[in-house]
Amino acid sequence: MTRPLLARTANVEQPTMAKLLTRMERDGLIETAPHPGDRRARQASLTRKARAAFPRGLAALAEAEGQVLRGLSKSERALLDSLLRRVLTNTEALNATSEQTCQESSP
């Protein structure tokens, strides 16, 4: 996956993703290689070290989610998820509109 695609998928700015990937490569969690279809781009892939750590990361994420949502019923959790997804959709639409407006108004 290329850096711009990773940034879009993670919903972060490209410089933020670039810094994260630099740290991950330094820590031996990813390897980068030239993109076969684009000489300017590089693609990243997980190393064995990262794949081995993945189950621990998922467990930590599940634990944190449980702590954050403690006290909410199953239906309240579902409602919260639905509402947050709607807010995210609205935010993405607003960002797209803002970007388009900026592009149209620049000389």
Side-chain angles (χ1 to χ4, degrees), residues 21 25 27 38 42 45 69 96:
L21 292 174
E25 190 168 21
D27 295 344
D38 184 349
R42 297 189 62 78
S45 58
L69 300 176

Side-chain angles (χ1 to χ4, degrees), residues 58-68 70:
L58 286 178
L61 182 60
E63 173 67 23
E65 182 180 29
Q67 290 176 7
V68 169
R70 187 179 306 136

Side-chain angles (χ1 to χ4, degrees), residues 3 20 32-34 46 58 64 68 71 100-102:
R3 287 180 178 200
L20 174 62
T32 60
L46 296 177
L58 286 178
V68 169
Q100 184 178 5
T101 302
C102 287

Side-chain angles (χ1 to χ4, degrees), residues 45-99:
S45 58
L46 296 177
T47 62
R48 286 185 199 169
K49 179 179 178 180
R51 284 193 272 285
F54 204 75
R56 289 190 314 273
L58 286 178
L61 182 60
E63 173 67 23
E65 182 180 29
Q67 290 176 7
V68 169
L69 300 176
R70 187 179 306 136
L72 296 180
S73 69
K74 199 171 195 173
S75 64
E76 289 171 328
R77 288 178 184 208
L79 176 60
L80 177 61
D81 182 70
S82 173
L83 293 171
L84 290 174
R85 286 180 189 278
R86 212 176 314 163
V87 168
L88 179 59
T89 298
N90 292 343
T91 302
E92 289 171 342
L94 180 61
N95 285 342
T97 301
S98 296
E99 287 176 14

Side-chain angles (χ1 to χ4, degrees), residues 24-40:
M24 290 177 73
E25 190 168 21
R26 178 199 66 209
D27 295 344
L29 298 173
I30 64 166
E31 296 171 333
T32 60
H35 189 282
D38 184 349
R39 290 183 302 161
R40 298 166 298 153

